[in-house]
Amino acid sequence: MRLCTLSAILLATASLIETPQSGHFTTCPKELMSYCIEGECRFIQSENKPSCVCKFGYIGSRCEFLDIFYLTGRRDKFIVVGLVLAILLLMIAIIITCFCVHRFRRRHKAKKNSREEAEVLSSEPLDGKDSRAEDEDTAMTTLA
């Protein structure tokens, strides 16, 4: 009994697979036979318009474009190469930014140090003695 049920299911499945879907696609009218450039024309009855089934390697609504990845056969490699190049460009941009910031800070620090040295040098007297100390000594002796 079980074997008969299994064979009946297999026969029903095979008949479903073998029967084409009727009603959705039909052959294109003669005036639309050249509608598809590199493919086979099919007419969609529900939308009342032609459609194309492209040959391998062609894309587009009318199979008018050659797929560049088909020519090379390396679609996945293009993605990997693109990602690697993007990461390298990002790393180069980060390195250039760090280099520029470092140079800016070093120049800014050098200018700050030179200004501080100029201020210190301009506040010191020319003979090398501290004029404030002499003023304090003079003031003390005049008071006494």
Side-chain angles (χ1 to χ4, degrees):
M1 184 83 173
R2 194 171 191 198
L3 184 60
C4 293
T5 309
L6 183 61
S7 63
I9 292 173
L10 289 175
L11 284 173
T13 307
S15 65
L16 287 175
I17 293 172
E18 291 175 7
T19 57
Q21 292 181 348
S22 60
H24 190 66
F25 288 111
T26 60
T27 58
C28 284
K30 287 186 178 186
E31 60 270 4
L32 294 174
M33 287 307 266
S34 62
Y35 177 76
C36 301
I37 297 170
E38 290 292 334
E40 182 183 332
C41 181
R42 292 189 179 174
F43 196 76
I44 304 173
Q45 287 182 343
S46 61
E47 296 180 14
N48 200 24
K49 69 177 190 176
S51 176
C52 296
V53 178
C54 299
K55 292 179 184 176
F56 192 72
Y58 290 91
I59 56 174
S61 60
R62 296 181 63 192
C63 306
E64 68 268 25
F65 301 115
L66 183 61
D67 189 6
I68 190 142
F69 295 116
Y70 166 73
L71 290 175
T72 59
R74 300 176 183 169
R75 178 175 286 179
D76 54 342
K77 290 182 182 181
F78 276 112
I79 293 171
V80 172
V81 168
L83 288 173
V84 168
L85 287 176
I87 291 171
L88 282 174
L89 288 174
L90 182 64
M91 289 175 61
I92 289 170
I94 289 171
I95 290 170
I96 290 172
T97 303
C98 290
F99 179 74
C100 290
V101 166
H102 177 71
R103 282 187 61 185
F104 174 77
R105 285 185 176 177
R106 192 171 61 188
R107 284 184 181 175
H108 184 70
K109 189 175 181 180
K111 285 181 182 179
K112 185 177 177 183
N113 287 342
S114 66
R115 270 188 264 141
E116 288 175 356
E117 287 177 9
E119 288 177 5
V120 168
L121 290 176
S122 66
S123 65
E124 290 182 8
L126 293 175
D127 60 357
K129 296 181 181 177
D130 192 6
S131 61
R132 286 179 287 170
E134 288 180 2
D135 291 339
E136 289 175 5
D137 290 339
T138 312
M140 289 186 139
T141 55
T142 55
L143 289 176

